[in-house]
């Protein structure tokens, strides 16, 4: 199936909840007044009162009440925030849960920590399920987990599925609540600013964490017209690339970011000077802002458009940041202004000069950046006019290199492929993923794949579990930075990309038992789109013994403690 | 000091998962980072900061501060003996 009718993709609804406000109107007001939502910790029970955060100004109880969720129902704050924002998006699109019955609807949500305060109870996929249940929709579900770029990748996936005619209505975005897990984890990396963060400023000291959720309703433009929807804007380009440099740091020349932005502009058939505004990833860490500035300068050269990071207003909302910032872009386009880079005052040669005051401007094309751990860099172009995507011819594919391991014993064979120094930080699931992936590449007779897609049900639970134990036993001190930076689900795909030097499309699915199906579908879609001619796909699972006890109690059987399978999908010549 | 140096070597091997090494393999004067030494990286530096805090009660303000301390095992021992709180 090729690109359906050379279609363009319309945004017909949006919803948002973050530190700036609990709906689009209040967020717009805060943006126009350039008032930050970052302040002292109020809702999360943490000892770190010295760390400013961007909390959503609603307690769990208030969110439950608003959503009519019973007090005894077990549900994470991440899912509550997600449901709260998604319900707004549906209302905005004038779609009732009732009206969606019998239609092809797909909810794609990006989340990582996803209530990891109790990983035993919630996995990423469970959160998405809980969101659909609370909102009252019964539809196809997918969960993307590429750390801080998860939500933008969810929007990209939705766009592609619509273009390929796989679904008719997409609800895409992401959600993440603050947690002791990642507040302490980021703290162990020593990249949290103790004042309100100042992206791109000479004095920046790091980021502030935030929380929230945002979702877009996406439809093919002809469908939106037919339905009489109010089209708010169009998705006209996207880029997903991997920095393949370091698990958490960014490369000095911003390679991944540069490639993602370039790809997005090319797809949108736009010259750099046609971009009216860039909503930067701009976390406020010395590394990110330097590297992103370098990438921006490489893309835009002497035509640098107005750039701002809105993270000093919202805090870094991690997995949700991509969709939160996409909705901020939408608000800016609709109300004709450029949001300010709050708190910026001092320029520095290694950074671009952002827009420091809210500025009125007509916005036709906006670029939104979202980068994550694992070097998962994505960019999205949102436009006020439709611009059909190029038609894509259908290509056939073949499967090759398939192999699997089911026993820990087999992990010893990894020595044949990588050195002890390289494997010293690897947990079991990482070793398994490397072993089957490298075998698949060898068997398929390729040097490296064009793209890497990982499916994982439980992610890096071995590491995440150790962090939770530390918090449980020793309180909020002494979290291992190595474990934290290897706790996100996309650690595997990121590490494989680094090892293989693979800068192409890179994504991680965590949708329970369906994870592998989603990964395979995506690989086939990439081949059809002509975006890759070889894709490494893997399913990698590890069920640590302590977690197995919990699964047993829930009546869930996992046959293997360790399971890994890799396949190469190649385009047929 | 000799005792502290040995203790630090053992700790470093443990927290940085340098399974293939024994304390004898680490020259107390050799650089820990970069070429010509152990070849540790920035993640290891953060782990060493956690180690100082957990084991010796020393809290560093920034990763940059660690850089001047983690030049060699001998230097770390010197710093620990002067600043330890436990």
């Amino acid at each position: 199936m090729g690109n359906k009718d050379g279609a363009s993709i319309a945004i017909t609804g949006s919803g948002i909840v973050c530190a700036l406000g609990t709906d689009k109107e209040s967020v717009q007001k805060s943006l126009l007044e350039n008032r930050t939502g970052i302040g002292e910790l109020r809702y999360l029970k943490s000892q770190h009162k010295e760390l400013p955060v961007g909390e959503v100004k609603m307690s769990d109880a208030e969110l439950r009440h608003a959503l009519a969720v019973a007090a005894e129902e077990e549900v994470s704050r991440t899912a509550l925030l997600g449901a709260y924002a998604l319900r707004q998006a549906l209302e905005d699109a004038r779609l009732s849960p009732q009206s969606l019955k019998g239609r092809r609807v797909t909810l794609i949500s990006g989340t990582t920590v996803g209530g990891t305060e109790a990983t035993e109870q919630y996995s990423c996929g469970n959160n998405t399920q809980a969101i659909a249940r609370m909102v009252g929709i019964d539809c196809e579900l997918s969960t993307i987990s590429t750390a801080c770029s998860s939500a933008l990748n969810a929007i990209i996936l939705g766009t592609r599925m619509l273009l390929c005619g796989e679904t008719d209505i997409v609800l895409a975005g992401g959600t993440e609540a603050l947690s002791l897990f990642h507040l302490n984890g980021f703290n162990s990396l020593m990249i949290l600013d103790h004042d309100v963060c100042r992206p791109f400023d000479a004095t920046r000291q790091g980021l502030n964490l935030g929380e929230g959720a945002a979702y877009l309703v996406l439809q093919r433009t002809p469908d939106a017209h037919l339905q009489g929807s109010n089209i708010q804007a169009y998705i006209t380009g996207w880029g997903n690339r991997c920095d393949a440099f370091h698990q958490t740091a960014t490369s000095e020349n911003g390679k991944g970011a540069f490639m993602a932005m370039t790809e997005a502009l090319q797809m949108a058939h736009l010259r750099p000077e046609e971009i009216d505004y860039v909503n930067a990833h701009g976390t406020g860490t010395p590394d990110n802002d330097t590297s992103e500035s370098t990438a921006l300068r490489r893309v835009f050269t002497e035509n640098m458009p107005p750039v701002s990071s809105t993270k000093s207003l919202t805090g870094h909302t991690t997995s949700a940041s991509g969709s939160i910032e996409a909705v901020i872009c939408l608000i800016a386009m609709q109300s004709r202004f450029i949001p300010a880079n709050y708190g910026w005052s001092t320029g520095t040669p290694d950074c671009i000069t952002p827009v420091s005051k809210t500025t009125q401007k007509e916005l036709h094309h906006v670029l939104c950046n979202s980068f994550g751990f694992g070097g998962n860099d994505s960019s999205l172009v949102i436009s006020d006019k439709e611009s059909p995507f190029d038609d894509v011819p259908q290509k056939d594919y073949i499967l090759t290199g398939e192999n699997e391991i089911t026993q820990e014993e087999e992990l010893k064979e990894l020595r044949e492929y990588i050195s002890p120094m390289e494997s010293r930080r690897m947990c079991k699931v990482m070793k398994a993923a490397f072993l089957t992936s490298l075998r698949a590449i060898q068997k398929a007779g390729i040097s490296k794949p064009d793209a890497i897609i990982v499916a994982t049900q439980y992610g890096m639970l071995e590491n995440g579990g150790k962090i939770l134990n530390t918090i449980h036993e020793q309180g909020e001190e002494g979290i291992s930075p190595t474990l934290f930076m290897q706790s996100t689900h996309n650690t595997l795909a990121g590490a494989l990309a680094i090892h293989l030097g693979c800068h192409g499309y890179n994504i991680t699915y965590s949708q329970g038992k369906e994870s592998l199906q989603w990964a395979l579908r995506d690989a086939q879609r990439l081949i059809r789109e002509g975006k890759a001619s070889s894709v490494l796909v893997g399913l990698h699972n590890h069920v640590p013994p302590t977690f197995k006890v919990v699964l047993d109690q829930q009546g869930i059987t996992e046959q293997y403690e360790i399971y890994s399978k890799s396949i190469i999908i190649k385009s047929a010549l | 000091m000799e005792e502290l140096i040995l203790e630090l070597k053992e700790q470093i091997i443990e927290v940085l998962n340098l399974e293939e090494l024994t304390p004898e393999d680490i020259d107390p004067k050799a650089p820990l980072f970069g070429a010509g030494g152990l070849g540790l990286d920035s993640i290891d530096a953060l782990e060493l900061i956690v180690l100082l805090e957990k084991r010796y009660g020393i809290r560093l303000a920034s990763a940059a501060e660690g850089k001047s301390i983690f030049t060699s095992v001998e230097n770390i021992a010197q710093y620990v003996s002067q600043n330890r709180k436990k």
Side-chain angles (χ1 to χ4, degrees):
Chain A
M1 208 176 319
N3 180 343
K4 194 152 177 148
D5 314 321
S8 64
I9 302 302
I11 301 172
T12 56
S14 54
I16 184 169
V17 53
C18 66
L20 289 179
T22 52
D23 55 25
K24 258 169 91 176
E25 288 68 35
S26 52
V27 170
Q28 179 199 37
K29 192 163 178 285
S30 298
L31 285 170
L32 284 167
E33 291 168 4
N34 195 19
R35 196 156 30 85
T36 184
I38 294 171
E40 203 178 309
L41 257 170
R42 256 167 68 189
Y43 298 96
L44 182 71
K45 289 182 180 51
S46 164
Q47 67 181 51
H48 290 295
K49 299 293 178 210
E50 80 284 6
L51 298 172
V53 289
E55 286 177 306
V56 169
K57 313 297 183 285
M58 280 177 94
S59 65
D60 288 5
E62 287 167 317
L63 285 163
R64 279 174 183 271
H65 180 75
L67 292 160
V69 174
E72 61 276 9
E73 190 177 335
E74 217 171 274
V75 57
S76 67
R77 182 169 172 86
T78 295
L80 288 168
L81 291 171
Y84 194 77
L86 179 59
R87 198 176 61 175
Q88 285 176 32
L90 287 169
E91 281 167 8
D92 192 35
R94 297 197 300 264
L95 291 169
S96 64
Q98 201 65 32
S99 72
L100 294 177
K101 286 216 172 98
R103 299 174 76 175
R104 291 197 305 167
V105 182
T106 308
L107 168 61
I108 309 167
S109 191
T111 190
T112 299
V113 184
T116 301
E117 278 184 283
T119 298
E120 284 79 1
Q121 275 123 46
Y122 315 112
S123 74
C124 293
N126 289 356
N127 268 294
T128 310
Q129 224 163 21
I131 292 168
R133 194 181 61 239
M134 283 186 274
V135 174
I137 49 173
D138 180 17
C139 66
E140 184 179 47
L141 304 174
S142 184
T143 308
I144 284 179
S145 195
T146 56
C148 299
S149 56
S150 304
L152 204 70
N153 280 327
I155 296 172
I156 292 172
L157 174 66
T159 302
R160 296 169 60 217
M161 286 179 67
L162 285 168
L163 286 172
C164 289
E166 296 170 57
T167 185
D168 296 325
I169 297 176
V170 163
L171 317 171
T175 178
E176 201 80 271
L178 268 177
S179 73
L180 288 182
F181 184 90
H182 70 295
L183 183 71
N184 284 287
F186 274 93
N187 203 24
S188 79
L189 300 183
M190 304 188 99
I191 51 172
L192 293 181
D193 201 319
H194 290 213
D195 293 312
V196 176
C197 67
R198 299 165 301 286
F200 301 111
D201 193 278
T203 67
R204 68 192 187 281
Q205 297 277 329
L207 59 89
N208 303 137
L209 284 170
E211 63 177 357
Y215 291 88
L216 297 178
V217 179
L218 304 174
Q219 293 173 271
R220 284 181 296 273
T221 307
D223 293 352
H225 283 311
L226 214 61
Q227 196 186 286
S229 305
N230 172 29
I231 297 179
Q232 304 179 5
Y234 301 86
I235 307 280
T236 53
W238 58 268
N240 165 315
R241 292 301 172 113
C242 190
D243 206 30
F245 170 73
H246 186 277
Q247 201 52 245
T248 53
T250 47
S251 63
E252 233 169 83
N253 64 358
K255 184 161 187 172
F258 169 78
M259 290 171 80
M261 285 189 270
T262 306
E263 185 184 11
L265 288 176
Q266 275 169 358
M267 282 192 87
H269 302 291
L270 290 173
R271 296 186 306 277
E273 59 268 30
E274 289 176 282
I275 293 292
D276 299 305
Y277 165 60
V278 179
N279 184 291
H281 185 58
T283 57
T285 64
D287 262 11
N288 175 81
D289 296 1
T290 307
S291 158
E292 189 173 8
S293 292
T294 305
L296 283 165
R297 283 171 176 155
R298 286 174 68 192
V299 173
F300 292 101
T301 57
E302 69 273 20
N303 300 305
M304 188 66 69
V307 180
S308 70
S309 161
T310 42
K311 287 195 174 63
S312 41
L313 295 165
T314 60
H316 187 354
T317 56
T318 57
S319 293
S321 63
S323 56
I324 284 181
E325 286 158 31
V327 173
I328 287 177
C329 287
L330 205 56
I331 292 171
M333 289 174 89
Q334 289 176 322
S335 310
R336 300 181 176 82
F337 72 98
I338 293 172
N341 193 106
Y342 179 86
W344 183 90
S345 64
T346 317
T348 166
D350 62 350
C351 285
I352 53 96
T353 302
V355 177
S356 58
K357 287 195 178 71
T358 314
T359 315
Q360 282 202 336
K361 192 181 177 199
E362 191 95 16
L363 303 174
H364 302 292
H365 302 287
V366 164
L367 186 75
C368 185
N369 280 345
S370 198
F371 310 147
F373 277 10
N376 278 130
D377 296 345
S378 290
S379 287
L380 190 74
V381 182
I382 305 174
S383 303
D384 64 349
K385 290 193 182 54
E386 77 175 299
S387 153
F389 283 90
D390 289 340
D391 212 5
V392 283
Q394 187 173 342
K395 287 202 179 89
D396 288 330
Y397 54 85
I398 50 167
L399 304 182
T400 170
E402 182 168 344
N403 75 100
E404 66 172 18
I405 66 162
T406 57
Q407 304 292 330
E408 195 180 334
E409 197 56 21
E410 297 174 70
L411 297 181
K412 285 185 194 138
E413 291 170 36
L414 189 60
R415 279 280 180 273
E416 291 170 30
Y417 296 93
I418 60 173
S419 72
M421 196 66 179
E422 193 179 349
S423 67
R424 74 190 160 108
R425 290 188 188 120
M426 292 184 177
C427 59
K428 283 179 201 164
V429 70
M430 173 93 86
K431 285 181 176 158
F434 265 69
L435 184 55
T436 60
S437 297
L438 297 174
R439 274 184 187 164
I441 289 168
Q442 199 173 37
K443 278 175 81 170
I446 57 171
S447 59
K448 66 175 173 187
D450 295 333
I452 298 173
I453 303 180
V454 162
T456 180
Q457 212 170 328
Y458 305 113
M460 309 292 284
L461 202 55
E462 188 183 349
N463 291 345
K466 282 181 192 163
I467 294 175
L468 287 173
N469 273 341
T470 309
I471 295 177
H472 186 67
E473 286 164 11
Q474 305 173 22
E476 297 177 68
E477 293 297 337
I479 301 227
S480 155
T482 311
L483 290 181
F484 179 67
M485 64 177 68
Q486 297 194 35
S487 69
T488 57
H489 293 64
N490 64 337
T491 305
L492 301 170
L496 284 164
I498 295 168
H499 181 84
L500 296 166
C502 180
H503 294 279
Y505 183 87
N506 189 298
I507 205 158
T508 299
Y509 288 92
S510 184
Q511 186 59 44
K513 299 265 182 225
E514 293 162 26
S515 305
L516 181 61
Q517 273 162 272
W518 280 102
L520 288 168
R521 270 175 75 177
D522 199 0
Q524 290 155 10
R525 198 180 297 122
L526 273 183
I527 300 275
R528 284 174 186 162
E529 291 166 337
K531 287 265 183 190
S533 56
S534 62
V535 186
L536 169 63
V537 179
L539 169 66
H540 315 295
N541 274 335
H542 176 213
V543 185
T546 45
F547 182 57
K548 191 172 182 301
V549 178
V550 182
L551 286 182
D552 287 345
Q553 284 166 359
Q554 295 174 358
I556 301 167
T557 354
E558 286 294 343
Q559 196 179 353
Y560 304 109
E561 183 188 329
I562 194 100
Y563 180 84
S564 172
K565 167 169 154 171
S566 290
I567 311 160
I568 301 287
I569 300 192
K570 272 164 80 169
S571 62
L573 296 172
Chain B
M1 191 59 93
E2 285 307 309
E3 220 172 275
L4 180 58
I5 286 180
L6 180 64
E7 182 182 297
L8 278 168
K9 285 180 178 177
E10 284 164 351
Q11 288 291 316
I12 288 171
I13 289 171
E14 193 194 322
V15 301
L16 304 184
N17 298 318
L18 303 169
E19 290 158 14
E20 319 267 310
L21 294 183
T22 64
E24 293 78 56
D25 294 329
I26 305 175
D27 176 356
K29 291 185 197 305
L32 291 171
F33 293 84
L38 225 44
L40 301 184
D41 61 23
S42 60
I43 305 173
D44 297 311
L46 290 170
E47 287 291 353
L48 292 178
I49 290 174
V50 174
L51 170 67
L52 288 195
E53 180 164 349
K54 261 192 183 171
R55 183 130 183 150
Y56 305 106
I58 299 171
R59 193 181 286 238
L60 300 189
S62 70
E65 206 182 328
K67 256 186 197 163
S68 58
I69 300 161
F70 305 141
T71 50
S72 65
V73 174
E74 204 173 68
N75 207 42
I76 301 176
Q78 193 84 33
Y79 186 83
V80 168
S81 63
Q82 286 162 5
N83 296 283
R84 64 191 300 169
K85 308 245 170 6
K86 58 181 177 189

